[in-house]
Amino acid sequence: MRNIISIIGSLLIIALAGCKSHTQVDMIFYNATIYSVDSAFSKHAAMAVKDGKIAAVGTTAKIFELYDAPEKIDLQGKTLLPGLYDAHTHFYYYALGLREVDLTGTRSFNEVIQRVQEFSTTSKSLWIKGRGWDQNDWKVKDFPTKDSLDKLFPDRPVLLSRVDGHAALANQKALDLAGITAANKIEGGVFEIITKNGKQTLTGMLIDNAVNEVSKYIPDPSVSERFDALMTAQKNCFEVGLTSVADAGLSKKIVEFLDSLQTSGKLKMKLHLMLSADQDNLKHYLKSGPIIKENLSVRAFKVYADGALGSRGACLLKPYQDKKNEAGFLLSHPDSLRAVAQKIARSPFQMNTHCIGDSANRFILDLYHEVLGNDRHRRWRIEHAQVIDESDFKKFALNKIIPSVQPTHATSDMYWVYDRIGKERTKNAYALKKLIEHAGMIAGGSDFPVEGINPFRGIYAAVTRQDLRRIPAGGFESQNKISREQAIRAFTSWAAYAGFEEKMRGSLEVGKAADFIIIDKDIMNCNEYDIPYIKVLKTFSDGKQVF
Ligand SMILES: [Zn+2]
């Protein structure tokens, strides 16, 4: 009986194959669980791909009735999603960071020193760069000082950035090369000093704008070093299912480098590049206009309003809970932020402003409204939108401002954020659900390398508001949990919309790019604690397998 059925089946396939009405495509995936992430979040079983684009989605029977392909892949029930999109990364600096000593997860400053020592024996470059320490993870929660680095590395400059990039520890050699003394002052930043034997001395800690005063002396890596780093970064991203990323805050030189690698076909990661809003970039790009290509766009400026909560650089309406005389500060004078916003408003560019504190968020939301008037089509964004005053949420709707948020920031910061800003303000911090209610969407991101690159960790954090140890029970400020569908949209269609790319990608619909991933679990129905461990089995970009 079985044989007869299979013979009939084969005959049927032969008959269908001979049928002239079949449209030839390149690939057919069938017997799958496909979440297309279209407006209805519809589910399909089969998909046809041709010339790097989605040709059709539908039932397996329907797709085989209409299409034929040299490659037919039986997914045996596996799940297929659009390629994931991280709406706020530092992809380029993540790549370069792969050449630095990784200090994330260190449990003490001693461990930092150990890792730096080990790294220093293998690294050939003069400067030792590190990144990722967080004094909140240590027993001693004070900022470290440079003393032990000075002893170990008297002749080699060392610069170790804090996890948020808004503070760094430099040794004496690095400070000397940068010409920094205890007398130096800088607007929007601090060179930390202590009094030692009646003399003011630098501790080596640099806050906000002070970091750049040292880091700018680090020589750039060569073209081939940068190329190798980017290829590794891209490979790492494809392995976790990312096919598009937004890169927040780049110079013209880096933009041109990334553009050239993509034009030559070597770099396949799709990029929404945000320009640093410095005078050079503003002058050049406001005149020359946006660059919009199929897989790369340069149509946004990344502006900084304030710093980060971890280093108390976030600009708050009321003082910090754990430092009653400090409320943070804006990184630039309000008038200069206004001048930048006015310039960008008169151009076709998008303005994406880093705002952490409730005061920074309020100032920028009001400024956006002031310069945009009633325009609701500019898709201007607030990057992070971390602490929002209750009365300010409604302002997102006025100009349809998009909050670009990082769900893992909530579960990384939750251990100390109550100490920093208290219970009341924390209720409206990392407020994913409330932001969606007011803005209609959020763009999902990780801010990597501040967090890890794996977007499934972000989806998990958004859905559970718990860390990987399932802490806290019930979830951190659980009123701001969002649904799996919303979390997937944040990392696909909403992220694409926030980059003006929703017609090209972000969902599996006819005519859009065949950017998709095959994963080992049904993300909509698996146990929520399995979400962070979902494995990407294959990644496709423009219909070509890239992992
Ligand atoms: Zn960032």
Side-chain angles (χ1 to χ4, degrees):
M1 190 64 188
R2 240 204 150 113
N3 277 337
I4 295 170
I5 290 175
S6 87
I7 288 165
I8 293 172
S10 312
L11 287 172
L12 203 66
I13 286 168
I14 291 163
L16 286 174
C19 172
K20 287 240 164 65
S21 68
H22 277 82
T23 304
Q24 279 294 320
V25 292
D26 301 324
M27 280 181 293
I28 291 173
F29 295 85
Y30 64 103
N31 283 339
T33 303
I34 301 172
Y35 297 107
S36 65
V37 197
D38 60 3
S39 58
F41 206 77
S42 57
K43 203 172 147 181
H44 303 280
M47 182 172 88
V49 172
K50 187 176 165 57
D51 298 332
K53 302 266 193 283
I54 309 292
V57 284
T59 62
T60 295
K62 180 98 185 165
I63 294 294
F64 277 112
E65 189 190 313
L66 297 174
Y67 299 92
D68 192 19
E71 251 188 289
K72 301 183 199 68
I73 298 120
D74 181 354
L75 286 182
Q76 300 174 325
K78 287 203 180 64
T79 297
L80 196 152
L81 285 181
L84 298 176
Y85 192 139
D86 190 320
H88 185 120
T89 77
H90 301 276
F91 176 71
Y92 178 78
Y93 289 105
Y94 161 71
L96 295 194
L98 297 172
R99 308 171 57 254
E100 298 171 2
V101 49
D102 179 11
L103 302 173
T104 49
T106 45
R107 293 272 145 204
S108 65
F109 185 58
N110 267 341
E111 195 183 337
V112 168
I113 296 289
Q114 269 172 24
R115 287 201 203 173
V116 171
Q117 257 183 305
E118 275 167 38
F119 178 83
S120 70
T121 58
T122 56
S123 163
K124 281 170 274 167
S125 43
L126 172 69
W127 280 77
I128 300 172
K129 271 195 87 184
R131 170 169 197 127
W133 60 268
D134 184 350
Q135 85 284 5
N136 292 304
D137 295 342
W138 307 340
K139 218 176 245 160
V140 181
K141 299 201 189 315
D142 299 328
F143 277 147
T145 60
K146 65 186 174 59
D147 306 340
S148 37
L149 290 176
D150 289 344
K151 275 186 209 117
L152 288 166
F153 306 102
D155 304 314
R156 214 168 158 190
V158 182
L159 187 69
L160 310 176
S161 302
R162 195 180 176 280
V163 63
D164 59 12
H166 287 270
L169 179 67
N171 71 345
Q172 190 55 45
K173 183 69 189 176
L175 295 168
D176 288 345
L177 288 176
I180 308 291
T181 69
N184 281 71
K185 294 268 178 299
I186 184 160
E187 199 186 333
V190 177
F191 301 103
E192 204 182 60
I193 39 177
I194 43 164
T195 312
K196 239 187 195 172
N197 309 326
K199 226 180 91 192
Q200 299 226 299
T201 35
L202 291 158
T203 65
M205 274 306 304
L206 315 167
I207 315 288
D208 283 308
N209 287 350
V211 178
N212 187 44
E213 293 304 298
V214 176
S215 65
K216 68 185 180 193
Y217 288 92
I218 302 176
D220 290 337
S222 69
V223 169
S224 75
E225 283 172 325
R226 286 185 291 152
F227 174 73
D228 289 346
L230 281 164
M231 289 300 111
T232 310
Q234 167 169 274
K235 180 175 155 281
N236 295 353
C237 288
F238 287 152
E239 279 175 16
V240 295
L242 290 168
T243 53
S244 297
V245 298
D247 196 326
L250 297 171
S251 68
K252 177 168 174 279
K253 229 170 104 183
I254 297 169
V255 163
E256 285 168 354
F257 182 57
L258 292 171
D259 191 5
S260 72
L261 290 183
Q262 231 203 27
T263 305
S264 71
K266 288 174 189 144
L267 190 63
K268 293 186 171 62
M269 182 57 62
K270 302 189 177 184
L271 300 167
H272 176 68
L273 303 179
M274 303 181 208
L275 298 156
S276 300
D278 55 55
Q279 288 312 316
D280 290 348
N281 271 348
L282 285 165
K283 207 172 152 207
H284 175 82
Y285 287 98
L286 289 179
K287 196 163 168 230
S288 68
I291 301 167
I292 299 166
K293 299 182 176 180
E294 180 119 18
N295 292 336
L296 178 142
S297 63
V298 185
R299 62 186 307 162
F301 282 99
K302 162 84 180 293
V303 179
Y304 277 96
D306 63 349
L309 274 179
S311 48
R312 294 191 192 81
C315 187
L316 298 175
L317 292 165
K318 295 194 186 108
Y320 282 89
Q321 182 86 1
D322 54 0
K323 226 170 196 181
K324 300 282 187 198
N325 55 347
E326 281 182 29
F329 43 84
L330 289 178
L331 291 177
S332 316
H333 193 279
D335 289 343
S336 64
L337 285 167
R338 177 170 289 107
V340 167
Q342 283 166 341
K343 271 187 202 164
I344 301 174
R346 284 193 297 267
S347 80
F349 280 89
Q350 185 184 38
M351 179 163 168
N352 302 343
T353 309
H354 165 118
C355 299
I356 302 283
D358 48 10
S359 177
N361 275 289
R362 174 179 293 177
F363 176 74
I364 293 297
L365 283 166
D366 289 342
L367 179 61
Y368 280 3
H369 190 52
E370 180 191 320
V371 301
L372 292 179
N374 294 321
D375 197 334
R376 290 160 58 80
H377 304 286
R378 298 294 300 270
R379 304 191 197 182
W380 281 17
R381 298 165 42 162
I382 296 221
E383 302 300 317
H384 314 304
Q386 219 164 74
V387 188
I388 312 277
D389 186 77
E390 183 68 40
S391 64
D392 291 325
F393 279 98
K394 59 177 187 290
K395 294 174 185 168
F396 282 92
L398 291 174
N399 299 91
K400 286 182 119 183
I401 301 305
I402 302 167
S404 163
V405 300
Q406 298 72 37
T408 42
H409 281 355
T411 50
S412 291
D413 298 357
M414 64 185 180
Y415 311 103
W416 49 262
V417 73
Y418 290 108
D419 292 343
R420 270 294 183 286
I421 59 171
K423 214 167 166 17
E424 265 320 294
R425 283 183 288 194
T426 304
K427 274 187 198 153
N428 285 332
Y430 319 89
L432 307 184
K433 186 168 180 200
K434 208 158 173 176
L435 285 167
I436 293 174
E437 278 163 19
H438 289 271
M441 68 171 67
I442 52 172
S446 66
D447 205 3
F448 73 68
V450 176
E451 303 279 354
I453 63 169
N454 189 336
F456 291 101
R457 300 281 158 101
I459 293 170
Y460 166 76
V463 168
T464 64
R465 309 273 289 186
Q466 288 177 326
D467 67 13
L468 292 175
R469 298 168 298 166
R470 308 180 186 183
I471 291 173
F476 161 73
E477 298 297 328
S478 60
Q479 73 279 4
N480 270 308
K481 282 184 187 176
I482 59 173
S483 70
R484 295 188 197 200
E485 179 184 324
Q486 287 172 325
I488 293 168
R489 283 191 187 284
F491 283 92
T492 54
S493 59
W494 287 345
Y497 182 89
F500 296 88
E501 294 156 9
E502 77 281 5
K503 291 201 174 77
M504 297 174 327
R505 52 186 156 269
S507 61
L508 302 172
E509 293 176 272
V510 176
K512 292 195 188 181
D515 298 349
F516 57 93
I517 57 175
I518 298 161
I519 55 179
D520 71 340
K521 292 217 166 59
D522 180 348
I523 189 167
M524 290 301 289
N525 293 303
C526 67
N527 185 313
E528 63 184 8
Y529 295 117
D530 288 336
I531 295 174
Y533 304 108
I534 285 178
K535 283 219 156 37
V536 175
L537 305 171
K538 284 176 184 172
T539 301
F540 289 79
S541 176
D542 290 331
K544 292 200 179 63
Q545 191 175 342
V546 291
F547 165 67

